[in-house]
Amino acid sequence: MQGNEQQAYDRGITIFSPDGRLYQVEYAREAVKRGTASVGVRTADGVVLAADRHARSPLIERDSIEKIHEIDDHVGVASAGHVADARQLIDVARRQAQVNRLRYDEPASVESLTKEVTDYIQQYTQTGGARPFGVALLVAGIEDGQPRLFETDPSGTPYEWQAVAIGGSREEIQTHLEDEYAEEMDLEAGVELALRALASVNEDGLDATGVDIATIDVEHQQFSKLSEDDIAERLTEFELGGDE
Amino acid sequence: MHDPENRLTDAYEPEVGTIPSDDEGRDEENVIKTGTTTVGIATEGGVVIATDRRASLGGRFVSNKSVTKVEQIHPTAAMTLVGSVGGAQSFIRSLRSEANLYEVRRDEPLSIHALATLAGNFARGGPFFAINPIIGGVDEEGSHVYSVDPAGGVLQDDYTVTGSGTMVATGTIEGNYDPEMSIGEARALAIRAVRAAAERDTGSGNGIVLAEITGEGVDIDRFDDYDSAE
């Protein structure tokens, strides 16, 4: 039975299985799938991050559900998976963004920031006694006037995307993105695509309090979150099952 | 083994190599200094850096007559050695490694502003105090000349002069600099400035080294006399 063979190799993170797998890293990927989805869309004039953050009870304060975070003026991160793990990585990214400003008096590039984070994640797949991060991130921002969108996964591998989904129902959302994505779309079209992609796996439709959206535009190179009203307006416009 | 926290680099120290924490206890009398006149002029076509070639001990003895006091530290930037030769040489090696590391990691060279900021941070936080270099370079934004002082001050200008011959050389350039001048005209002006300083400053002399920096790279030439440099 696979169970026995696996058990010998899935205890220690630093041990390869005979067929070259790191089970703990694979389990961490499962943890990401258990999280609600986040979506990133890169457009000609900016990057969009959208996250499903529906609440398990109407009594919870919505703002305490953190899925999208500002890293620096020009960079934002959306997460899927363990929020507590995400917070650690977000702080690494925030500190590294400021180290770059201190050291070079320049904003950190999105690519180098992503790689600082993935190098950090990687060390938790190779160090005895550690556990990998059970979270995937989307790192979005503007670099030298160009929009960039990266993904980090629990193995510490960075990927760059035009549009991507992480977390639960990733495959279905990704298929939606692949069908609908167009390189020349503008930021507003990117917001629409991100919302439609999230809605494609939510049969009951979306609700403005259960979605978080942020954009970083090329013109101002500034991270900004959409207000609940702005989101509600768009959900109504796109007929994605707003509050009404 | 791995300490993930160490990944976060200190903004005020080189990432590679260890450096002495201070110069205390060193025999000041025997530290070779450049005295020096170094000049940097920015033009639209590029940057010219000119330096003399004298090293001296305590300002009384010429310990070397053919020092190259400007070195390439980046694909399109150079820095001058001014002050303690040991401090300046190790500063140059550190900055050069940092620039290499940055470029190989990010697949684009450091901007000249970032290079000067880094140099200022190292001067501020590190052991390189007795130096006062000029950094000149060209990047996407154009031509830049910066002076870095021993306390880490970083100032950009159209032209700048450091070293013991500063007063004389600056007087030569003052009123003769024109932002529209060609790189050839800047070269001639830089030669005149170093030549004048070599005449009057005992810490400067023994010929001239010229660096021309354009978007293509850095060219460094050495001359025993000023006429052949023109």
Side-chain angles (χ1 to χ4, degrees):
Chain A
M1 191 182 136
Q2 195 208 4
N4 281 337
E5 187 189 286
Q6 201 171 302
Q7 262 188 359
Y9 302 104
D10 68 355
R11 301 258 165 94
I13 179 62
T14 53
I15 301 174
F16 275 114
S17 75
D19 54 349
R21 296 163 67 178
L22 289 170
Y23 283 114
Q24 284 297 325
V25 172
E26 295 186 16
Y27 298 163
R29 287 207 183 94
E30 293 302 317
V32 172
K33 285 186 195 162
R34 283 172 184 275
T36 53
S38 288
V39 172
V41 178
R42 192 183 82 194
T43 71
D45 54 3
V47 198
V48 182
L49 291 174
D52 180 343
R53 54 158 189 161
H54 62 255
R56 58 179 185 273
S57 159
L59 297 181
I60 197 166
E61 287 291 350
R62 297 284 180 163
D63 285 350
S64 70
I65 303 173
E66 301 179 318
K67 293 272 300 195
I68 298 182
H69 312 253
E70 179 169 351
I71 298 301
D72 197 351
D73 293 346
H74 63 301
V75 182
V77 159
S79 68
H82 283 274
V83 173
D85 285 16
R87 287 184 50 81
Q88 290 296 317
L89 298 178
I90 280 152
D91 200 56
V92 166
R94 283 177 174 159
R95 281 155 61 189
Q96 203 56 43
Q98 296 312 317
V99 165
N100 201 87
R101 285 188 186 273
L102 264 181
R103 200 171 171 80
Y104 304 115
D105 193 24
E106 286 184 344
S109 82
V110 186
E111 181 171 347
S112 66
L113 213 46
T114 303
K115 287 178 176 173
E116 290 288 349
V117 173
T118 53
D119 288 354
Y120 187 85
I121 294 170
Q122 189 280 338
Q123 294 184 54
Y124 285 81
T125 70
Q126 214 175 11
T127 307
R131 146 175 100 63
F133 285 89
V135 70
L137 304 180
L138 299 179
V139 187
I142 308 297
E143 170 177 341
D144 296 330
Q146 297 299 317
R148 308 286 299 268
L149 172 64
F150 290 87
E151 175 201 359
T152 76
D153 83 342
S155 74
T157 311
Y159 301 94
E160 185 167 16
W161 294 90
Q162 293 175 301
V164 65
I166 54 174
S169 311
R170 169 181 187 152
E171 285 82 7
E172 294 98 302
I173 302 175
Q174 192 66 33
T175 304
H176 183 95
L177 291 172
E178 284 166 12
D179 291 343
E180 305 296 330
Y181 182 79
E183 231 170 282
E184 63 278 6
M185 59 182 24
D186 64 12
L187 200 58
E188 192 49 45
V191 171
E192 179 175 352
L193 173 59
L195 282 172
R196 286 193 186 283
L198 282 181
S200 70
V201 294
N202 280 282
E203 281 167 16
D204 304 334
L206 299 176
D207 145 14
T209 60
V211 186
D212 222 1
I213 297 188
T215 59
I216 307 103
D217 64 320
V218 168
E219 194 188 342
H220 303 100
Q221 314 210 354
Q222 179 62 50
F223 174 94
S224 77
K225 269 194 179 175
L226 262 60
S227 70
E228 217 172 282
D229 289 347
D230 284 342
I231 295 171
E233 205 174 281
R234 284 174 176 78
L235 290 177
T236 311
E237 185 188 338
F238 308 145
E239 293 176 354
L240 294 174
D243 288 321
E244 293 76 25
Chain B
M1 190 182 69
H2 282 285
D3 176 6
E5 291 300 321
N6 274 346
R7 179 87 206 159
L8 297 162
T9 54
D10 184 330
Y12 296 99
E13 283 193 8
E15 275 197 76
V16 183
T18 50
I19 43 181
S21 61
D22 60 50
D23 263 353
E24 254 175 64
R26 284 172 212 235
D27 180 356
E28 270 293 309
E29 285 284 297
N30 289 316
V31 172
I32 301 173
K33 293 189 175 155
T34 55
T36 295
T37 304
T38 81
V39 173
I41 303 178
T43 71
E44 237 169 69
V47 173
V48 175
I49 290 178
T51 76
D52 71 302
R53 301 208 297 171
R54 175 173 295 176
S56 55
L57 264 175
R60 293 168 180 275
F61 178 71
V62 177
S63 55
N64 195 302
K65 298 191 286 184
S66 57
V67 185
T68 301
K69 298 184 199 171
V70 53
E71 291 207 40
Q72 182 168 4
I73 53 169
H74 170 284
T76 57
M79 191 181 111
T80 63
L81 280 90
V82 182
S84 144
V85 173
Q89 285 177 335
S90 100
F91 193 82
I92 283 173
R93 286 193 292 269
S94 285
L95 268 188
R96 194 184 278 148
S97 321
E98 289 289 328
N100 284 339
L101 204 51
Y102 183 104
E103 184 169 356
V104 77
R105 276 184 183 155
R106 310 196 187 195
D107 202 24
E108 61 179 3
L110 261 171
S111 73
I112 306 306
H113 178 72
L115 184 65
T117 303
L118 194 60
N121 282 344
F122 290 177
R124 180 87 195 140
F128 308 103
F129 14 77
I131 57 163
N132 192 185
I134 291 173
I135 291 174
V138 177
D139 59 20
E140 286 174 344
E141 315 269 302
S143 302
H144 313 274
V145 171
Y146 289 86
S147 67
V148 179
D149 77 36
V154 178
L155 295 174
Q156 186 178 11
D157 213 333
D158 296 329
Y159 61 88
T160 187
V161 184
T162 62
S164 55
T166 295
M167 300 269 243
V168 181
T170 307
T172 309
I173 300 173
E174 199 62 44
N176 291 310
Y177 173 80
D178 174 2
E180 312 270 286
M181 73 200 319
S182 70
I183 195 163
E185 288 165 339
R187 179 187 168 106
L189 183 57
I191 294 168
R192 273 172 55 204
V194 172
R195 187 174 195 165
E199 292 289 333
R200 290 286 177 173
D201 171 41
T202 55
S204 304
N206 304 103
I208 189 165
V209 180
L210 277 159
E212 275 191 18
I213 305 145
T214 64
E216 305 295 306
V218 180
D219 268 328
I220 297 176
D221 293 308
R222 298 152 187 86
F223 302 94
D224 287 335
D225 64 273
Y226 305 96
D227 289 332
S228 54
E230 303 252 355

